[in-house]
């Protein structure tokens, strides 16, 4: 009798052992995977957190492969994440579950599910990481070649996920020089939707490696199930959603395989970049806030919790006409305004070739003594004497045909072998081959030399103004030419890691002709990014709105520049320019001496106001409210301190229509509904409105809102809310 019972129990155990559920949890979301010895690992659910798998199972929810592979079985047909040519030429891969592990340390949870091909000695680990402080789930794979000879990876995405078909929309970010970060939203129809980029190293120039899917129809800022997908990679990428007559929209994201076939020798492995997923019931805003928190708190932006200093950058003030006197005058200006940091931009260097035109000297990082006879350390001292920190511009991954570096190392540039070099900016710019360890050492040394010559350097603006136009590496062997795109970025990351190990506190800005390289592959090494070379405040409303979909305010460099604006010629009031710049890391990009007395007074006051609200603006939660993309000529947002004790609300009117305009009531968001807040207008130039100094409940401000007397086009209003 006992034996019969035991055998029944064992038989049942064997049956149920067949269906192991792996719940990958964030505080509020769950990814449910099912794994069975010797079989494919499946994704069965991604959504609100569940504590066990039974609801999903009982609801008969279907499943799709967690990491679909090309060439064997019925599952790969829809889309696949991995395609391998095995050592014997076999194109099929059939990954079967072998085992899994789970570890937790300091609020970080890691799951590794190991799979192995049913025929070859070829393994893939499916890796998942979550955090206690946000609902971000990272997914990536480690691909291992245990075969006797090399295998070739033809496609090697980071992850694949299904979303049930319906009225699903995609939001994506795109642009080009001076129009980066534009948001486009469209429904997902049958066919393949793709955002991709091949502009290595400026991988976020045209399209960015981040999208959102709104699962409940037209995207909304604060409601509806919404999913975010962010590829943490600084090289070429591809994100596709395949929609056909199956049940699912099928998302596959990873490194762009074009020109990037990768060979793995016996015993070698390949780690794909993380795909960071968010699921939220609070619309696009909920997804954004999770990414922002993850960026600030989980090291996805370097030093994410540190307050960023206000600065003056010399570029639009003097362009390449750098001089000792000119720099010191600008320092005087920013000191008088109450700024904290001065950054000398392009134009300060060059030996044989002088950087007075943008067609030479990149790579020759020696001070141009004709322009700066006393050298860079003396400028740092001049800044220090004025109570300012010191920063400097470099573009270390680049050179020009007109440079001593290129004359010495023509083989260090990326170029298609046997053909003429194809140059970028100035008709002479070229990219150094970061796959080459000698180039990595050189780039490290560029930073190290600056820090050795001027150890007090506080800030570096690291620029990158070119894409690859001619693919080829004289460092990589003929059979590894297709490794260049991947190895460039691995070499860059390796170099940045060395720099960070030696200079953890150096503030580094990521710039690539503006926002050409805003991605979470690089941001763990950079404190901020130059959001765009376009400093026109009206255009910035669109650029900053789109960029904020995935990136936090503390990382967004936003500078007040001259009027008329140098990129668009538009004239804008100084108040509007400040009010737009103050939603991120405030700076200036003009000669302060070009401000008249009244403007100077306003700017000085705005700098001091900004320093007061800085902790809220840089570390608070962003709620976007009125979108500039809605085309009614208004925009508004509010940034709320984590404990909801303080908030700063921003509203803008940037268009004037001939007929009566639809005039919104300005509703707030993110406040504590039961708390009372006193309102104070900041940067005020008109007489106070009726609500000035008055107290309202959060509920009233959020549900009813305020009438704002925004007078005329390019008027704006900034309101501080203080909880009583
Ligand atoms: C790029 C940057 C600018 C400036 C110039 C200097 O275009 O985006 O901000 O630094 O280079 O050449």
């Amino acid at each position: 009798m006992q034996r019969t019972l035991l055998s029944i129990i064992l038989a049942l155990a064997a049956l149920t052992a067949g269906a192991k559920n792996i719940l990958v949890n964030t505080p509020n979301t769950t990814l449910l995977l099912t794994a069975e010895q010797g079989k494919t690992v499946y994704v069965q659910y991604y959504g609100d957190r569940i504590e066990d798998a039974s609801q999903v199972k009982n609801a008969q929810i279907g499943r799709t492969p967690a990491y679909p592979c090309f060439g064997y079985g019925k599952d790969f047909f829809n889309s696949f994440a991995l395609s391998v040519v095995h050592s014997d030429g076999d194109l099929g891969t059939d990954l079967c579950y072998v085992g899994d592990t789970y570890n937790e340390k300091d609020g970080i949870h890691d799951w590794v599910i190991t799979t192995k091909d049913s025929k070859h000695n070829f393994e893939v680990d499916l890796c998942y990481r979550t955090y206690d402080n946000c609902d971000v789930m990272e997914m990536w794979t480690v691909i291992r070649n245990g075969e006797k000879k090399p295998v070739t990876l033809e496609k090697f995405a980071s992850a694949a996920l299904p979303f049930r078909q319906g009225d699903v929309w995609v939001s994506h970010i795109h642009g080009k020089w001076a129009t980066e970060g534009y948001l486009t939203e469209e429904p997902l129809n049958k066919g393949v939707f793709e955002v991709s980029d091949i502009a290595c190293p400026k991988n976020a120039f045209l399209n960015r490696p981040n999208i959102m899917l709104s699962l409940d129809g037209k995207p909304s800022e604060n409601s509806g199930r919404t999913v975010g997908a962010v590829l943490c990679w600084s090289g070429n990428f591809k994100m596709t959603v395949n929609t056909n007559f199956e049940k699912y929209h099928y998302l596959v994201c990873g490194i762009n395989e074009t020109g990037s076939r990768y060979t793995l020798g016996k015993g070698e492995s390949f780690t794909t970049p993380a795909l960071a997923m968010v699921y939220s019931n609070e619309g696009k805003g909920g997804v954004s806030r999770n990414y922002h928190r993850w960026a600030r708190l989980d090291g996805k932006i370097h030093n994410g919790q540190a307050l960023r200093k206000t600065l003056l950058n010399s570029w639009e003030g003097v362009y390449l006409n750098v001089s000792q006197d000119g720099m010191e005058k600008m320092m005087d200006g920013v000191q008088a305004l109450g700024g904290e940091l001065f950054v000398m931009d392009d134009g300060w260097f060059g030996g044989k070739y002088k950087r007075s035109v943008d067609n030479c000297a990149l790579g020759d990082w020696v001070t141009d003594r004709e322009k700066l006879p006393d050298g860079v350390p003396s400028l740092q001292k001049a800044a220090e004497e004025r109570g300012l920190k010191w920063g400097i511009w470099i573009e270390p991954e680049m050179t020009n045909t007109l440079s001593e570096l290129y004359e010495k190392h023509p083989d260090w540039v990326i170029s298609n072998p046997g053909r003429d070099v194809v140059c970028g900016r100035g008709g002479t710019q070229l990219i150094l081959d970061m796959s080459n360890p000698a180039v990595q050492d050189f780039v490290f040394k560029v930073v190290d030399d600056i820090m050795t010559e001027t150890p007090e350097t506080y800030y570096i603006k690291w620029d990158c103004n070119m894409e690859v136009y001619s693919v080829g590496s004289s460092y990589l062997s003929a059979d590894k030419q297709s490794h260049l795109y991947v190895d460039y970025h691995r070499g860059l990351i390796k170099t940045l890691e060395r720099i960070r190990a030696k200079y953890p506190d150096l503030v580094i800005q990521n710039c690539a002709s503006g926002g050409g390289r805003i991605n979470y592959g690089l941001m763990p090494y950079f404190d901020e990014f130059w959001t765009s070379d376009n400093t026109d405040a009206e255009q910035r409303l669109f650029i900053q709105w789109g960029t904020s979909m995935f990136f936090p305010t503390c990382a967004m460099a936003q500078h007040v520049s001259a009027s008329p604006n140098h990129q668009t010629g538009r004239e804008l009031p100084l108040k509007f320019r400040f009010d737009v710049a103050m939603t991120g890391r405030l700076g200036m990009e003009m000669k302060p001496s070009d401000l008249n007395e009244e403007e100077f007074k306003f700017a000085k006051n705005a700098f001091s106001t900004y320093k007061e609200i800085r902790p809220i603006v840089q570390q608070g939660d962003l709620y976007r409210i009125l979108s500039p993309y809605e085309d009614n000529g208004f925009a508004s947002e509010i940034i709320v301190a984590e404990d909801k004790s303080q908030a700063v609300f921003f509203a803008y009117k940037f268009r004037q229509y001939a007929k009566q305009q639809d005039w919104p009531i300005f509703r707030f968001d993110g406040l504590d509904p039961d708390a009372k807040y006193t309102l104070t207008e900041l940067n005020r130039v008109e007489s106070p409105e009726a609500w000035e100094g008055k107290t309202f409940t959060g509920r009233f401000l959020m549900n009813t809102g305020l009438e704002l007397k925004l007078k005329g086009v390019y008027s704006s209003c900034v309101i501080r809310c203080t909880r009583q």
Side-chain angles (χ1 to χ4, degrees):
M1 172 64 188
Q2 262 186 351
R3 280 182 73 102
T4 329
L5 196 59
L6 188 65
S7 52
I8 291 171
I9 290 169
L10 281 178
L12 276 174
L15 267 180
T16 48
K20 175 165 185 177
N21 298 313
I22 302 170
L23 290 133
V24 179
N25 286 326
T26 72
N28 298 298
T29 68
T30 296
L31 175 77
L32 170 63
L33 299 153
T34 55
E36 189 172 348
Q37 273 302 326
K39 302 229 165 103
T40 306
V41 177
Y42 289 99
V43 171
Q44 195 145 26
Y45 169 84
Y46 178 46
D48 287 322
R49 182 167 166 141
I50 52 171
E51 296 308 325
D52 68 71
S54 61
Q55 293 183 75
V56 174
K57 300 271 157 115
N58 295 340
Q60 307 182 78
I61 304 294
R63 57 185 199 173
T64 60
Y67 198 58
C69 302
F70 176 80
Y72 182 80
K74 292 180 180 169
D75 284 328
F76 77 85
F77 197 64
N78 199 21
S79 268
F80 51 88
L82 182 73
S83 169
V84 184
V85 184
H86 291 280
S87 51
D88 59 357
D90 181 2
L91 295 177
T93 303
D94 173 33
L95 295 178
C96 302
Y97 173 70
V98 175
D100 63 279
T101 60
Y102 163 74
N103 284 299
E104 190 274 338
K105 194 168 178 262
D106 302 332
I108 300 176
H109 306 255
D110 276 299
W111 290 258
V112 177
I113 302 170
T114 300
T115 63
K116 189 169 181 218
D117 183 62
S118 52
K119 185 165 134 194
H120 303 282
N121 195 4
F122 179 90
E123 290 185 337
V124 176
D125 285 343
L126 313 180
C127 306
Y128 302 88
R129 172 171 295 171
T130 66
Y131 301 85
D132 279 349
N133 54 19
C134 61
D135 285 315
V136 177
M137 188 179 290
E138 294 168 25
M139 319 178 169
W140 71 95
T141 53
V142 180
I143 303 165
R144 280 190 296 274
N145 176 22
E147 300 180 31
K148 293 206 172 75
K149 287 190 185 150
V151 300
T152 304
L153 307 181
E154 303 238 302
K155 182 171 173 77
F156 34 99
S158 297
L161 275 176
F163 296 94
R164 187 69 178 205
Q165 285 194 27
D167 187 12
V168 176
W169 287 55
V170 62
S171 307
H172 55 107
I173 311 293
H174 58 92
K176 60 174 194 170
W177 180 76
T179 50
E180 307 92 320
Y182 269 69
L183 169 68
T184 287
E185 309 196 307
E186 56 194 281
L188 279 177
N189 294 313
K190 295 283 188 273
V192 180
F193 168 85
E194 175 181 312
V195 275
S196 59
D197 219 307
I198 203 92
C200 163
K202 286 160 72 177
N203 84 333
F205 191 48
L206 300 174
N207 293 299
R208 293 207 174 142
N210 32 240
I211 59 171
M212 286 192 201
L213 299 177
S214 296
L215 307 182
D216 294 319
K218 198 163 188 294
S220 148
E221 270 301 329
N222 42 29
S223 65
R225 295 169 308 143
T226 309
V227 170
V230 162
L231 191 72
C232 306
W233 177 240
S234 168
N236 297 339
F237 71 90
K238 192 190 257 186
M239 306 175 100
T240 54
V241 187
N242 190 337
T243 306
N244 54 27
F245 283 106
E246 301 292 324
K247 289 179 187 157
Y248 301 103
H249 299 286
Y250 212 71
L251 174 72
V252 180
C253 304
I255 291 175
N256 193 330
E257 65 276 14
T258 302
S260 288
R261 210 170 53 246
Y262 211 93
T263 316
L264 283 189
K266 177 176 171 349
E268 286 181 346
S269 66
F270 187 102
T271 302
T272 61
L275 175 71
M277 297 294 304
V278 170
Y279 170 91
S280 170
N281 288 314
E282 292 174 24
K284 291 181 286 183
V287 171
S288 296
R289 285 185 290 280
N290 271 295
Y291 282 124
H292 297 172
R293 226 168 287 145
W294 169 75
R296 290 196 310 262
L297 306 181
D298 295 314
K300 304 304 167 185
I301 289 212
H302 184 258
N303 240 333
Q305 293 175 68
L307 294 182
R308 274 67 174 150
K309 292 196 186 303
T310 53
L311 64 81
L312 176 72
N313 177 295
S314 67
W315 181 242
E316 285 196 30
V318 297
Y319 292 100
L320 296 167
N321 304 321
V322 165
S323 68
Q324 182 90 22
D325 183 49
M327 294 299 101
E328 290 196 19
K329 278 207 180 102
M330 289 176 105
M331 287 183 206
D332 287 337
V334 67
Q335 177 199 25
L337 287 170
E340 299 155 300
L341 162 66
F342 176 75
V343 182
M344 177 170 67
D345 210 285
D346 196 355
W348 61 270
F349 55 93
K352 177 173 160 192
Y353 302 95
K354 309 245 177 270
R355 185 74 172 175
S356 294
V357 187
D358 68 356
N359 71 351
C360 68
L362 294 174
D364 303 345
W365 301 107
V366 290
T367 309
D368 177 350
R369 291 278 168 172
E370 281 168 26
K371 285 180 178 170
L372 303 171
D374 301 335
V376 170
S378 83
L379 283 165
Q380 182 279 320
K381 287 279 163 305
E384 195 177 298
E385 278 159 25
R386 291 164 174 82
L388 299 170
K389 298 280 185 198
W390 166 254
I392 193 164
W393 179 96
I394 50 173
E395 198 180 354
E397 298 151 80
M398 302 286 159
T399 191
N400 295 103
T401 51
L402 301 177
S403 73
E404 291 173 71
L405 181 73
Y406 183 66
E407 284 170 358
K408 202 163 151 206
H409 296 290
D411 56 326
W412 275 13
V413 302
I414 292 181
S415 181
N416 194 267
R419 298 182 207 259
D420 291 343
V421 288
V422 185
C423 297
R425 188 179 184 185
T428 56
Q429 186 156 340
L430 290 166
I431 307 178
L432 296 176
D433 178 0
M434 290 298 291
S435 73
N436 182 343
V439 172
Q440 294 164 21
D441 287 346
F442 171 80
V443 171
F444 172 79
K445 205 166 166 302
V446 173
V447 174
D448 203 34
D449 285 351
I450 284 177
M451 297 307 289
T452 306
E453 189 188 28
T454 315
E456 299 82 1
T457 304
Y458 176 82
Y459 178 106
I460 280 183
K461 174 172 174 179
W462 179 309
D463 215 333
C464 164
N465 288 313
M466 192 174 160
E467 307 86 317
V468 171
Y469 298 134
S470 166
V471 186
S473 159
S474 36
Y475 171 73
L476 296 169
S477 58
D479 60 336
K480 295 216 166 130
Q481 288 294 303
S482 60
H483 290 201
L484 176 62
Y485 281 129
V486 169
D487 288 358
Y488 183 98
H489 290 278
R490 288 182 167 173
L492 174 61
I493 297 299
K494 224 164 131 188
T495 310
L496 287 165
E497 267 165 8
R498 263 175 91 186
I499 291 169
R500 278 309 182 196
K502 191 158 177 190
Y503 303 109
D505 299 327
L506 177 66
V507 176
I508 314 184
Q509 183 189 69
N510 163 13
C511 176
S513 317
R517 200 148 73 159
I518 300 177
N519 64 64
Y520 279 114
L522 279 191
M523 287 315 294
Y525 308 95
F526 289 86
D527 301 71
E528 61 169 36
F529 48 78
W530 181 220
T531 312
S532 174
D533 271 355
N534 188 343
T535 54
D536 175 320
E538 192 259 10
Q539 305 268 285
R540 276 295 188 115
L541 286 175
F542 294 83
I543 292 170
Q544 291 168 190
W545 183 280
T547 303
S548 80
M549 295 275 288
F550 296 92
F551 292 88
T553 48
C554 69
M556 278 205 237
Q558 307 186 168
H559 297 178
V560 172
S561 63
S563 178
N565 180 269
H566 291 191
Q567 293 78 41
T568 62
R570 195 194 316 268
E571 290 188 34
L572 291 172
L574 189 65
K575 172 173 164 56
F576 190 82
R577 285 179 272 153
F578 263 99
D579 288 356
V580 171
M582 278 170 68
T583 59
R585 196 276 288 135
L586 175 69
M588 265 192 137
E589 185 109 1
M590 62 183 290
K591 279 193 198 138
S593 56
D594 286 345
L595 296 170
N596 65 32
E597 206 179 315
E598 195 189 330
E599 287 174 329
F600 202 90
K601 212 169 131 208
F602 177 88
K604 187 171 175 185
N605 183 51
F607 266 104
S608 124
T609 302
Y610 179 79
K611 285 190 265 178
E612 275 173 38
I613 59 171
R614 166 163 51 193
I616 313 168
V617 167
Q618 294 188 4
Q619 293 292 312
D621 283 324
L622 172 71
Y623 293 79
R624 292 175 299 256
I625 309 170
L626 289 178
S627 168
Y629 292 88
E630 291 298 326
D631 223 19
N632 63 356
F634 293 94
S636 71
E637 65 181 57
I638 188 167
I639 309 175
V640 184
E642 199 180 348
D643 66 0
K644 299 198 183 284
S645 63
Q646 302 266 348
V648 188
F649 172 87
F650 298 85
Y652 312 94
K653 176 170 160 58
F654 61 92
R655 225 156 263 174
Q656 184 73 46
Y657 293 90
K659 294 208 175 138
Q660 193 186 349
Q661 188 164 8
D662 284 344
W663 196 275
I665 190 139
F666 288 86
R667 289 164 67 193
F668 291 32
D669 204 348
L671 300 173
D672 172 355
D674 297 319
K676 288 186 175 151
Y677 294 90
T678 302
L679 306 187
T680 324
E681 185 173 358
L682 307 177
N683 293 350
R684 182 159 62 76
V685 288
E686 303 281 344
S687 47
E689 299 202 34
W691 41 261
E692 177 71 32
K694 306 287 180 346
T695 298
F696 300 84
T697 61
R699 182 173 288 103
F700 184 89
L701 290 170
M702 293 192 290
N703 292 344
T704 303
L706 300 179
E707 286 285 8
L708 295 182
K709 294 182 181 146
L710 292 175
K711 287 197 184 134
V713 68
Y714 305 129
S715 55
S716 50
C717 183
V718 182
I719 305 172
R720 182 172 187 165
C721 313
T722 309
R723 189 169 63 194
Q724 294 313 302

